[in-house]
Amino acid sequence: MSTDLPEWLLARQEPFQHGDGIAGGKSIRRGFVEKSVDSMSLVFRESFFAERLASRPGLLQGIDPRVKVLTTILLIIVAGLARHPTTLLALNLWILWVAKVSRVPLPMYLKRVWLAAPLFTGIIVFPSIFNVVYPGDPLLILINFSRHFRLGPWTVPETLAVTYQGVWGALVLILRVGASVSLAVLLALTTRWQVLLKALNMVFVPQVFIVMLEMSCRYIYLFLQTTSEMFVARRSRTVSRTSTQEQRCFVSGSIGALWNKAYILSGEIHAAMVSRGYTGTPKTLVSFQISRLDWLWSLFVLAVSLFFLGGDRIVAW
Amino acid sequence: MPGEILFELKDVCYHYPGGEEALSDINLSIRQGEKVALIGANGCGKSTLLNVLDGLLFPQKGSISSFGLILDEKNISKKDFNFAFRRRVGFVFQNCDAQLFNSSVWEEIAFGLVQLGLDTREVKRRVEDVMSMLGIGHLKDRPPFRLSGGEKKKVAIASVLSMNPEVILLDEPANNLDPRTQSWMIKLVKQLNHAGKTLVTTTHNLDIIEEIADRVVVFSEDHRIAAVGKPKEILDKRELLQQVNLVDEQFHRHIRDDLHRHYHSHN
């Protein structure tokens, strides 16, 4: 093996001047690769945070995941059956209290639930608050046409107004979606993923499907790490802005490389499973234990559900 | 003292589906209680041999018997044989990411025990014992991707030890480990051997073979066994080591019996 270095490798670079490329230098625009690296590190940060949160000593963290899944389903049904905004508002406040005693940071929790849920539900129900879509008693008159007229197959009423019934219905729907999303987010935030997946067995998800989900979850992070390393390595060797076409080529090449790695690894994983006695049918250990706290929580949720449903009947009446 | 023959390989040849040769005319016996090191350059067939010994790959030519029975595809597919064999032979893979496929350390260590059908109480007892023995109890709920290289290796070993195998196959166990974890590994190999376990370890690190083996099998680059002997005898055969690409002309040995001995190079 020759160790003679070629001449060009012996040539030294020009000395780096103090302030080189800083004063007046153009900053390189962030391309697809840089943005992807940032997004991947964000996924890791989020996952670290989620696990820390799920391990905090709080009310929901101490409840058996199976009980948590069942009580969450029950509360989502209660949210679905409630018909009065006051009931739903009270239910949402109660969920917030549960989040607080489970030591979930409220600003983050509220942002996660109430930024997305009302926005998307709001877009869906927005047309229904107007009398042109859903007739009702006017709450706010926007335009007075002085007479009704026909517009193709539609009959436009004398006034364009926001209706009382439309606003009521929209409010109920938004609060209902908000409560359901809050409960689902709370369940996900206070339970570690691997435990949550196991608890899905309670809602009749087949065992083999859960095992596949668990393994996918485990290897997604490994491949994300590998991809992140590939992207960082690429960035460290990029000295100027690359064209979109070059970036596309790099991404498609990375997908191919990752596919090959995944294929080789899947063979190794199978060998490691067989080596430890796997014969084609996954056997898992179910080690959940129902404690007194789980019973108390179940009874509490049942009482709360009856209270809200009963209260809803009274206020709705 | 080494006891009965656990593995016997006769004229074993193996080549990968693409036709690439990995093992050629391998004749080898491994006895109970032995510490055997398989050494050789990269790609000489050491890891393939471990896969053959673990009944994961089957030779196209030659025969292999384990515990006095023929180890082939037909026999390993039989439930009783598979159960008895997997219980007795454990394999610590080189790539921890392949070995650690469960979502938490606890489940990883319990996996083999659950597959073998042990009852829940026994599974829990063994997992807790192994974790406390290896000092990894604090990692029990952690997912494997969050572990350092040394921690992954410890969990991989724990996942095999929990099954209490008679034979432990270790593929490059000291690779990419920091010096402290490497010393821990060597100490563990010795302890396990004292406890009566048979250990087959692959390595190309000549510094550790005197400690992890009492018999060394040297592989040549043409996938054959070039020599078998005691560690000291093999390490003294500088020409042989050079021939099989384990040392180069620059390598020499420093021996200080009061401290330690090692190979190194002055470039």
Side-chain angles (χ1 to χ4, degrees), chain A residues 43-49 51-52 55 192-195 197-198 214-215 217-219 221-222 225 265 268-289, chain B residues 51 54-56 82 86 89-91 93 95-104 106-120 123-124 141-146 152 159-160 163:
Chain A
V43 172
F44 281 112
R45 254 204 326 268
E46 286 271 318
S47 116
F48 270 102
F49 175 72
E51 195 171 313
R52 223 176 43 219
S55 310
R192 283 185 298 116
W193 264 110
Q194 60 261 39
V195 186
L197 287 175
K198 276 192 182 23
E214 279 178 326
M215 287 185 74
C217 211
R218 187 251 178 274
Y219 284 102
Y221 283 102
L222 180 73
Q225 211 167 358
L265 190 67
E268 288 180 338
I269 295 164
H270 185 252
M273 290 173 78
V274 170
S275 174
R276 281 195 275 155
Y278 173 75
T279 51
T281 318
K283 292 179 194 161
T284 53
L285 194 71
V286 182
S287 60
F288 293 126
Q289 276 179 339
Chain B
N51 277 280
D54 198 34
L56 297 171
N82 186 68
R86 297 290 169 217
V89 184
F91 189 178
F93 286 72
N95 180 4
C96 291
D97 280 318
Q99 175 136 22
L100 309 181
F101 45 80
N102 283 284
S103 51
S104 77
W106 200 97
E107 281 169 41
E108 195 63 62
I109 302 171
F111 179 85
L113 304 173
V114 177
Q115 304 315 304
L116 294 179
L118 266 67
D119 68 76
T120 309
V123 171
K124 284 182 179 170
D141 293 325
R142 294 260 294 274
F145 74 92
R146 294 263 172 77
K152 277 185 189 174
S159 69
V160 169
M163 295 166 77

Side-chain angles (χ1 to χ4, degrees), chain B residues 203-218:
Chain B
T203 185
H204 48 232
N205 185 350
L206 297 179
D207 288 340
I208 63 168
I209 64 166
E210 276 178 301
E211 299 186 83
I212 61 161
D214 38 43
R215 193 156 66 103
V216 179
V217 179
V218 185

Side-chain angles (χ1 to χ4, degrees), chain A residues 104-129:
Chain A
V104 173
L106 289 186
M108 176 276 289
Y109 178 62
L110 287 170
K111 210 163 81 183
R112 200 170 278 194
V113 176
W114 289 102
L115 269 188
L119 185 76
F120 290 106
T121 320
I123 292 169
I124 295 165
V125 294
F126 183 70
S128 73
I129 65 171

Side-chain angles (χ1 to χ4, degrees), chain A residues 105-164:
Chain A
L106 289 186
M108 176 276 289
Y109 178 62
L110 287 170
K111 210 163 81 183
R112 200 170 278 194
V113 176
W114 289 102
L115 269 188
L119 185 76
F120 290 106
T121 320
I123 292 169
I124 295 165
V125 294
F126 183 70
S128 73
I129 65 171
F130 298 104
N131 60 344
V132 280
V133 177
Y134 192 77
D137 306 326
L139 184 70
L140 178 70
I141 296 171
L142 300 173
I143 304 170
N144 198 337
F145 300 115
S146 66
R147 64 183 181 83
H148 64 87
F149 58 95
R150 290 189 68 81
L151 197 70
W154 295 286
T155 307
V156 178
E158 282 174 38
T159 55
L160 174 68
V162 173
T163 64
Y164 176 76

Side-chain angles (χ1 to χ4, degrees), chain B residues 21-24 26 38-48 218-224 244:
Chain B
E21 197 172 36
L23 294 172
S24 189
I26 303 294
L38 310 177
I39 65 167
N42 291 337
C44 68
K46 306 182 297 278
S47 301
T48 308
V218 185
F219 277 78
S220 62
E221 286 185 290
D222 62 353
H223 318 286
R224 293 168 193 275
V244 298

Side-chain angles (χ1 to χ4, degrees), chain B residues 109-197:
Chain B
I109 302 171
F111 179 85
L113 304 173
V114 177
Q115 304 315 304
L116 294 179
L118 266 67
D119 68 76
T120 309
R121 195 186 294 174
E122 181 63 9
V123 171
K124 284 182 179 170
R125 190 174 72 90
R126 285 204 194 182
V127 173
E128 299 298 326
D129 284 352
V130 170
M131 282 197 301
S132 96
M133 182 183 116
L134 301 186
I136 51 172
H138 60 290
L139 305 174
K140 70 173 187 174
D141 293 325
R142 294 260 294 274
F145 74 92
R146 294 263 172 77
L147 305 177
S148 69
E151 287 171 339
K152 277 185 189 174
K153 193 56 96 182
K154 284 184 180 180
V155 175
I157 291 172
S159 69
V160 169
L161 282 187
S162 62
M163 295 166 77
N164 189 22
E166 280 179 41
V167 183
I168 303 172
L169 311 168
L170 297 133
D171 196 1
E172 304 277 2
N175 258 16
N176 304 320
L177 295 184
D178 59 61
R180 194 182 296 163
T181 317
Q182 195 167 311
S183 304
W184 170 87
M185 173 75 68
I186 292 167
K187 213 172 131 189
L188 180 73
V189 166
K190 285 178 175 175
Q191 273 182 334
L192 290 171
N193 186 242
H194 279 142
K197 308 283 179 204

